[in-house]
Amino acid sequence: MTVSTASATAAKAAPLEAGAARKAIDRVGLPGWIQAMPFGLVFLFFFVIPLILVVIVSFWDYNDYEMLPSFTTRSYTETFEGCLTQLPDLCTILKTYLSTVKFCFIVWVTTLIIGFTVAYFLAFYVRTVTMQMVLFLVCTIPFWTSNVIRMISWIPLLGRNGLINLALERAHLVDKPVEWLLYSPFSVGLAFTHLFTFFMVVPIFNSMMRIDRRLVEAAYDSGASAWQTLWNLIIPLCKPGIVIGSIFVVTIVMGDFITFDVMGGEQIASAGKVVETRLNALQFPPAAANAVILLVVTLMIIVGLNRIVDVRKEL
């Protein structure tokens, strides 16, 4: 009995001693700011410093051959040149940004509807976790290939002699090929939706998996319909995922120019295309100025989204 009692006492004391040892290690451990320093240095050297350099270059002067390190607002004034004199008409740069924001809104709506539907199906209609993960991985298959390859794969379908036009003509639904399927705003929006819907699926699916299923059952037991449960319970609880996915989509679309070129036939202007054109002309200060303007516009949209949900609490 004495040995058994001693063993039981030792077994009870072991967790206490382990906890005390962990507390002692925590007390002598490194401060949090030192532990975060490597990540802070990476953020500093690869984001903050390059951003500061871009802002500095945007205020430099330039000519046809070189940049001149002297302070001037020439790049900004030339960018918005004529905006005040053309009122109430919009100048070229404002039309370009308005067009980019319009595409951003359209893509956001389409990706949100499709992404929410896919995430809702995976979270609430697929019962087993294994099947959820399998189907979720299936959604990642398109990301195993390049964005450019996925874009140009639409051309054989949407072109004048593409499969869709051939099918429409053989079904006698049209007399001649439909022109607006390719190299048009429709094809640009379609490509964006195809490329970036997954950025909506992932955060929304993550938010839905955190929802306590007992809340859903309680809503149904209280007599709520499927639509009432979706609108009053699931969507409010999914707001963090919706906002995070929206930030991903908005930031990517606002800075994109390759999709506009490939799917728009270089006929649709975009804010990213303005920066790319300036860089090709070796006009680095105007390119930096337009990059800063694009960054400010994108940050304004992100701040507006953060007004809905504090994303920092979800990360």
Side-chain angles (χ1 to χ4, degrees):
M1 290 295 294
T2 304
V3 175
S4 300
T5 304
S7 301
T9 304
K12 292 179 180 179
L16 298 177
E17 294 175 356
R22 283 194 297 269
K23 291 181 180 179
I25 293 174
D26 293 339
R27 284 196 297 268
V28 299
L30 295 175
W33 65 272
I34 294 181
Q35 298 179 28
M37 183 178 291
F39 301 100
L41 292 176
V42 171
F43 183 77
L44 176 66
F45 284 108
F46 291 97
F47 180 78
V48 176
I49 292 178
L51 182 59
I52 293 174
L53 293 176
V54 169
V55 174
I56 292 173
V57 171
S58 70
F59 288 100
W60 282 7
D61 200 359
Y62 68 98
N63 54 33
D64 294 336
Y65 309 101
E66 60 182 345
M67 294 186 298
L68 305 174
S70 59
F71 180 84
T72 178
T73 59
R74 174 187 172 189
S75 298
Y76 291 94
T77 54
E78 287 182 350
T79 298
F80 292 100
E81 186 177 5
C83 288
L84 295 178
T85 59
Q86 294 181 15
L87 294 176
D89 296 330
L90 297 178
C91 62
T92 302
I93 189 67
L94 291 181
K95 289 180 180 179
T96 301
Y97 274 90
L98 185 61
S99 174
T100 306
V101 172
K102 180 189 72 174
F103 274 105
C104 189
F105 177 76
I106 293 173
V107 174
W108 173 74
V109 172
T110 54
T111 55
L112 176 59
I113 293 174
I114 299 174
F116 188 91
T117 303
V118 173
Y120 185 81
F121 172 78
L122 292 176
F124 292 100
Y125 283 89
V126 180
R127 298 300 179 183
T128 62
V129 177
T130 302
M131 186 55 65
Q132 285 178 339
M133 293 300 102
V134 170
L135 294 177
F136 185 81
L137 290 175
V138 169
C139 294
T140 67
I141 290 177
F143 282 80
W144 299 355
T145 59
S146 168
N147 281 5
V148 177
I149 294 176
R150 284 187 285 157
M151 275 189 293
I152 63 177
S153 65
W154 285 102
I155 296 178
L157 293 174
L158 304 176
R160 284 180 55 87
N161 299 317
L163 296 178
I164 294 178
N165 270 317
L166 289 177
L168 292 174
E169 289 177 355
R170 290 178 180 178
H172 302 289
L173 297 176
V174 295
D175 297 328
K176 58 182 181 180
V178 180
E179 299 288 346
W180 54 264
L181 289 178
L182 186 62
Y183 303 138
S184 64
F186 170 79
S187 60
V188 173
L190 180 64
F192 273 132
T193 302
H194 174 215
L195 293 175
F196 304 131
T197 296
F198 189 69
F199 288 96
M200 277 289 190
V201 173
V202 174
I204 295 176
F205 176 70
N206 183 52
S207 295
M208 286 184 178
M209 292 303 293
R210 294 181 180 182
I211 297 176
D212 192 341
R213 295 305 185 267
R214 291 175 296 182
L215 295 176
V216 180
E217 294 176 1
Y220 284 125
D221 293 340
S222 300
S225 63
W227 173 254
Q228 290 173 330
T229 303
L230 175 66
W231 185 256
N232 297 313
L233 178 64
I234 296 176
I235 291 180
L237 293 177
C238 289
K239 279 184 179 180
I242 293 173
V243 172
I244 293 173
S246 300
I247 291 174
F248 285 150
V249 172
V250 167
T251 53
I252 295 174
V253 174
M254 285 295 294
D256 187 280
F257 64 90
I258 297 177
T259 307
F260 283 99
D261 278 355
V262 175
M263 301 305 295
E266 299 187 359
Q267 301 174 18
I268 301 175
S270 67
K273 182 64 177 178
V274 175
V275 179
E276 192 256 351
T277 302
R278 293 289 195 175
L279 289 175
N280 289 339
L282 301 181
Q283 298 177 347
F284 297 111
N290 281 277
V292 172
I293 296 169
L294 178 60
L295 176 63
V296 171
V297 173
T298 305
L299 287 177
M300 290 172 61
I301 298 174
I302 293 175
V303 169
L305 291 172
N306 277 326
R307 294 275 184 172
I308 302 174
V309 175
D310 188 357
V311 179
R312 291 175 297 178
K313 295 181 179 178
E314 304 298 326
L315 299 177

